[in-house]
């Protein structure tokens, strides 16, 4: 069992890390599944199989957007949801023959033992002001990092602030593996037809964009970095519902700026209604995690944790 979680509320890049880990494990020949609690789907104490690894069996209205995104991005990987994640993990192993289970947002979910804890921290403000939610952004005190083996600094851009966060973590937690993760745009496609488009097609184009994710400003910055002329932006609350009527209201709000097309995130894409407003030409920008030189370090840690687990299991047998 590998857990990917965070210490602070808000978007720290857990889902991209889960995708990276699942793909790596697949390449290594493991049968891997992902277990999530889901978010505002039909919450149940039973197990919902979003994907059995062959077909997607539940929509985002039932599963929530993040499990749906994981199911779409990870063909060959079962994705399961339950408010009792131990039941989902059990089902992944016993019914779908998974050898490795990745817990999405599992750091605080301590009912399941794990072989590896990866904790995502925002490189620009990993602990906020050090206060617990709701006064601050922390879910737990920073001493909880004792339970982790890997600390991943997300949104790492090489800035002085990010470099200082890295230096501080290495100094405070010398027994942990500290890796840095940036994000890169990897794919652009039409929201309706899913036709692939070159990333260069947004360059110098007047675009409007909306994002209902933890850090919408990061998405808008990525769009601008591709050379787009972003004339209108709408930052939505995380997991915000998307209806035809709501999307039509966004088009009306942006009409004075006369955008040539619209852009949103993959996470918002899975919540889109089946029909879009006639006046909305919408593209989806996919963003993935980029570990650069730390990729081999994280792979080695993962392989070591699974090798130790396999050895313990065989000893027990």
């Amino acid at each position: 069992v590998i857990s990917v979680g965070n210490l602070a509320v808000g978007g720290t890049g857990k889902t991209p890390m889960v995708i990276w880990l699942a793909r790596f494990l697949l390449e290594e020949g493991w049968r891997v599944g992902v277990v999530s609690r889901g978010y505002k789907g039909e919450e149940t104490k039973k197990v919902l199989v979003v994907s059995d690894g062959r077909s997607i069996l539940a929509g985002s209205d039932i599963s929530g957007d993040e499990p749906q995104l994981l199911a779409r991005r990870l063909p060959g990987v079962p994705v399961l949801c339950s408010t009792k994640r131990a039941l989902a993990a059990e089902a992944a192993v016993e019914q779908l023959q998974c050898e490795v289970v990745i817990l999405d947002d599992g750091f605080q979910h301590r009912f399941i033992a794990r072989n590896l804890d990866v904790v995502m921290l925002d490189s620009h403000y990993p602990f906020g002001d050090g206060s617990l939610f709701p006064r601050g952004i922390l879910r737990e005190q920073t001493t909880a990092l004792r339970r982790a083996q890997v600390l991943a600094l997300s949104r790492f851009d090489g800035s002085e602030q990010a470099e200082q966060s890295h230096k501080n973590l290495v100094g405070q937690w010398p027994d942990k593996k500290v890796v840095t993760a940036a994000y890169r745009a990897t794919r652009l496609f039409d929201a309706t037809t899913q036709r692939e488009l070159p990333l260069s097609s947004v360059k110098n184009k007047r675009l409007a964009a909306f994002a209902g994710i933890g850090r919408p400003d990061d998405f808008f910055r990525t769009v601008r970095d591709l050379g787009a002329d972003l004339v209108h932006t709408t930052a939505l609350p995380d997991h915000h519902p998307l209806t035809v009527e709501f999307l039509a209201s966004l088009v009306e709000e942006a009409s004075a700026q006369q955008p040539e097309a619209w852009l949103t995130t993959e996470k918002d894409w899975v919540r889109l209604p089946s029909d879009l407003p006639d006046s909305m030409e919408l593209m989806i920008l996919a963003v993935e995690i980029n570990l650069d030189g730390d990729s081999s370090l994280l792979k080695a840690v993962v392989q070591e944790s699974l090798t130790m687990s396999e050895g313990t299991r065989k000893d027990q047998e």
Side-chain angles (χ1 to χ4, degrees):
V1 175
I2 298 175
S3 166
V4 178
N6 60 9
L7 198 66
V9 297
T12 52
K14 295 187 300 295
T15 300
M17 179 59 82
V18 169
I19 292 170
W20 187 93
L21 286 168
R23 287 177 174 168
F24 167 63
L25 291 165
L26 279 178
E27 291 171 359
E28 292 294 297
W30 294 90
R31 292 193 296 273
V32 57
V34 176
V35 166
S36 172
R37 187 183 189 279
Y39 183 86
K40 288 191 176 179
E42 291 185 0
E43 293 191 10
T44 173
K45 293 181 180 178
K46 297 180 181 179
V47 176
L48 172 68
V49 180
V50 183
S51 168
D52 61 3
R54 297 182 297 273
S55 304
I56 295 177
L57 306 175
S60 61
D61 55 332
I62 299 175
S63 68
D65 50 15
E66 287 166 349
Q68 185 68 201
L69 175 57
L70 289 167
R72 295 191 191 189
R73 287 284 292 272
L74 295 172
V77 175
V79 178
L80 302 90
C81 292
S82 179
T83 53
K84 291 193 172 181
R85 278 176 275 190
L87 294 178
E90 187 176 68
V93 172
E94 296 184 357
Q95 298 175 25
L96 298 170
Q97 292 75 53
C98 294
E99 299 169 310
V100 182
V101 172
I102 301 175
L103 296 180
D104 179 26
D105 196 12
F107 191 54
Q108 284 77 35
H109 189 81
R110 301 174 68 181
F111 295 98
I112 301 178
R114 68 284 314 270
N115 305 89
L116 185 67
D117 261 303
V118 179
V119 176
M120 308 296 297
L121 299 165
D122 189 305
S123 64
H124 289 259
Y125 38 90
F127 309 121
D129 65 356
S131 300
L132 292 172
F133 184 81
R135 179 182 174 183
I137 64 171
L138 294 181
R139 292 175 167 185
E140 300 181 80
Q141 298 285 3
T142 56
T143 52
L145 292 180
R146 292 170 183 163
R147 305 196 306 268
Q149 292 79 40
V150 177
L151 307 180
L153 277 171
S154 64
R155 299 174 65 223
F156 193 85
D157 56 5
S159 65
E160 183 178 348
Q161 190 174 19
E163 292 286 359
Q164 186 62 49
S165 293
H166 183 267
K167 181 179 179 181
N168 291 343
L169 275 186
V170 171
Q172 292 167 8
W173 300 99
D175 60 325
K176 313 297 180 190
K177 301 296 185 185
V178 180
V179 300
T180 61
Y183 299 104
R184 61 182 178 189
T186 57
R187 182 183 172 217
L188 184 72
F189 59 95
D190 183 274
T192 303
T193 66
Q194 297 185 43
R195 180 173 62 92
E196 296 285 335
L197 302 165
L199 290 173
S200 59
S201 61
V202 303
K203 190 171 183 179
N204 299 323
K205 198 167 188 175
R206 291 177 60 84
L207 296 179
F210 64 90
I213 57 176
R215 299 271 190 266
D217 286 343
D218 287 352
F219 176 71
F220 301 146
R221 188 178 302 110
T222 299
V223 175
R224 291 188 177 98
D225 288 344
L226 290 173
D229 181 11
L230 203 52
V231 297
H232 183 88
T233 62
T234 303
L236 303 173
D238 204 2
H239 312 287
H240 191 281
L242 301 174
T243 64
V244 176
E245 294 77 17
F246 178 76
L247 295 175
S249 71
L250 293 185
V251 172
E252 178 63 26
E253 288 175 12
S255 59
Q257 283 74 41
Q258 298 182 322
E260 298 174 70
W262 283 78
L263 199 62
T264 193
T265 72
E266 269 193 307
K267 186 175 168 183
D268 291 291
W269 173 54
V270 303
R271 298 197 313 279
L272 290 174
S274 55
D275 295 314
L276 297 177
D278 293 336
S279 53
M280 177 177 272
E281 178 188 336
L282 182 60
M283 297 180 291
I284 310 301
L285 183 64
V287 177
E288 294 185 1
I289 202 165
N290 181 16
L291 292 162
D292 282 335
D294 287 340
S295 175
S296 57
L297 173 60
L298 182 55
K299 288 178 179 179
V301 174
V302 172
Q303 288 170 327
E304 181 182 6
S305 70
L306 296 181
T307 300
M308 292 175 62
S309 171
E310 188 72 4
T312 300
R313 183 183 66 81
K314 289 179 178 178
D315 289 344
Q316 291 172 343
E317 290 175 352

